[in-house]
Amino acid sequence: MNARGDSLPLCLNQQLPTGLLEVELHEGAAELDALLGFAARANAKRGFLFVSKVLGKHWPVRPQRMLAIHERLAAGVPAAPGPVLFIAMAETAVGLGQGVFEAWLRAHPGQQALFLQTTRYRVGTGPIIEFEEAHSHAPRQFLHMPGTAHEQALLRSARTIVLVDDEASTGNTFLNLTQACRRLNPLLERVHLAVLANFMGAAATNALTARFGLPATMGALLAGEYRFTPADCPVDAAPAQRYDEGAERGAGTAFGRLGLARALRTPDALADRLAATIAPQDKVLVLGTGEFMHVSTLLGAALERRGLDVVVQSTTRSPILTWGAVRHALTFPDNYGEGIPNFIYNVAPGQYQHVLVCHETPAGDALHGLARTLGARLFHYHTEDDVEEVPVR
């Protein structure tokens, strides 16, 4: 059944500044407005964007709403042989993937699983898998070898792989990464794709097993297909990635890039201290930075459990036009030091009484400038248990 109460597909035509987006939804149409909006991207490769309202990236989301979405996607992972390898796709779905992994762990106590995130930053000197996300504004990605012998053993013995992203459109990136993982671990027996929206279409979805060469399943909250006809308009061709293998970007190794076989701890002590300084009626934004997202959800959820009015979202390197589901845009320098612009969408100065910025990089000029713009406090996560509040200068 769709939002109109019948079994017909829901068809939408969205005239964007960058072209015409035609969407046909076959599943989940009743939840469309709660889950998804539409925006235009300054990207010659792909001039549109499906803006998730439950991802915590471009749109503010209540933490408990996000955790409920994580549980729904985790519940869609079929019973399968373990160990289970969960991989979250950077940048947008790093927090989503880690949340799904942790929800799966809660639902399957005692079962072995490993979480890894892809990343656009090289950390450490260990082996990596490199692959491309062709339609991305920053296409080059890495998957690092886990940092401990136990986690390396889980990776090499995993029999099921769960790939988590906000959206599936062609499946090419999933396929490329799966093939790379199978070369590393020939024991892999099945793959599951966990996404918020599956826009591959029914035929391509049904052909996943044949295409991947092993049993493959799909779990999504929305399903359908789309067609985009670009308009003849200028786009920003500026690069969103400047990779320098020898540069130290401040990207951490303790939160998923080198693997985790457990859930991150909830920052209860930090939440207690912060809650004591925030009035119950005040509006609070917990802001993640770039790929550093899941800790902001955990902190936001802890504050929400203490009765505060909290939403969570994140900065991004993705250039999006102010149109449709993107009502406001702030630009600031990249806190990872690549020299590319970063953005915050749907956040205006003065909108929140409290803005708490969670970051893994040292608090340089970029973060101090952002904090001054938003009247924010800065929290540098050295580890999940070692969080330093940095005075804003």
Side-chain angles (χ1 to χ4, degrees):
M1 302 291 285
N2 63 27
R4 298 168 298 184
D6 56 43
S7 58
L8 298 175
L10 175 63
C11 299
L12 300 169
N13 292 336
Q14 295 284 324
Q15 184 62 58
L16 281 60
T18 52
L20 176 63
L21 178 63
E22 300 169 85
V23 179
E24 185 175 285
L25 282 180
H26 305 131
E27 299 175 22
E31 292 190 275
L32 174 63
D33 289 341
L35 295 175
L36 203 66
F38 303 94
R41 297 208 309 176
N43 186 336
K45 298 178 182 177
R46 200 179 195 199
F48 64 93
L49 182 72
F50 298 110
V51 177
S52 170
K53 297 179 180 179
V54 295
L55 184 64
K57 194 64 179 176
H58 311 108
W59 187 277
V61 191
R62 296 201 176 277
Q64 291 300 327
R65 171 71 166 146
M66 292 177 65
L67 295 177
I69 293 296
H70 299 164
E71 291 177 356
R72 286 178 63 182
L73 288 180
V77 177
V84 181
L85 170 63
F86 288 78
I87 300 180
M89 308 301 292
E91 147 188 291
T92 303
V94 167
L96 177 69
Q98 198 156 8
V100 171
F101 163 73
E102 293 186 356
W104 188 90
L105 285 181
R106 290 191 296 271
H108 300 84
Q111 296 197 33
Q112 288 190 312
L114 175 69
F115 171 76
L116 280 170
Q117 67 164 86
T118 70
T119 178
R120 291 184 170 93
Y121 305 109
R122 183 78 159 90
V123 297
T125 58
I128 59 169
I129 296 171
E130 182 175 354
F131 64 101
E132 285 199 354
E133 184 180 10
H135 68 259
S136 173
H137 201 66
R140 194 173 185 182
Q141 292 204 47
F142 307 104
L143 188 71
H144 289 77
M145 179 64 69
T148 72
H150 173 64
E151 289 155 355
Q152 290 176 18
L154 286 175
L155 174 61
R156 294 185 183 280
S157 64
R159 297 171 66 193
T160 299
I161 184 171
V162 178
L163 303 178
V164 186
D165 208 349
D166 60 321
E167 164 206 331
S169 52
T170 66
N172 291 338
T173 305
F174 288 138
L175 179 61
N176 292 342
L177 183 53
T178 300
Q179 290 174 335
C181 289
R182 291 182 74 186
R183 289 192 292 270
L184 183 67
N185 173 8
L187 297 176
L188 284 170
E189 297 178 12
R190 74 171 44 239
V191 60
H192 177 75
L193 310 182
V195 298
L196 296 172
N198 171 22
F199 286 115
M200 293 178 60
T205 301
N206 293 335
L208 283 173
T209 292
R211 188 178 177 195
F212 277 72
L214 74 172
T217 51
M218 168 73 75
L221 306 185
L222 296 171
E225 48 196 319
Y226 70 86
R227 181 173 61 188
F228 183 69
T229 305
D232 185 13
C233 62
V235 294
D236 179 11
Q241 188 174 27
R242 293 192 178 102
Y243 176 69
D244 179 353
E245 185 171 358
E248 171 53 56
R249 300 299 185 192
T253 59
F255 300 94
R257 289 188 181 90
L258 298 186
L260 285 169
R262 59 171 180 84
L264 291 178
R265 286 181 286 275
T266 300
D268 286 317
L270 176 60
D272 285 337
R273 293 200 305 273
L274 291 173
T277 69
I278 300 172
Q281 69 273 14
D282 287 352
K283 295 185 178 298
V284 182
L285 169 66
V286 184
L287 188 68
T289 45
E291 295 179 4
F292 194 62
M293 295 175 62
H294 189 55
V295 296
S296 61
T297 302
L298 295 179
L299 178 58
L303 293 173
E304 194 175 30
R305 287 193 296 270
R306 286 156 176 78
L308 298 179
D309 183 0
V310 184
V311 293
V312 175
Q313 67 178 96
S314 173
T315 66
T316 176
R317 68 171 74 209
S318 180
I320 309 173
L321 303 180
T322 305
W323 180 91
V326 173
R327 301 165 186 164
H328 193 279
L330 290 174
T331 304
F332 69 99
D334 166 33
N335 62 293
Y336 289 89
E338 285 186 294
I340 57 175
N342 274 212
F343 309 92
I344 306 172
Y345 297 109
N346 294 311
V347 175
Q351 183 176 348
Y352 298 95
Q353 281 75 45
H354 302 271
V355 178
L356 312 175
V357 179
C358 302
H359 55 97
E360 60 180 339
T361 64
D365 291 343
L367 285 172
H368 281 283
L370 174 64
R372 291 192 300 270
T373 298
L374 296 178
R377 298 165 68 177
L378 298 175
F379 294 89
H380 185 187
Y381 280 70
H382 301 282
T383 68
E384 63 199 295
D385 302 315
D386 180 8
V387 184
E388 173 194 7
E389 181 167 5
V390 180
V392 177
R393 59 175 189 264

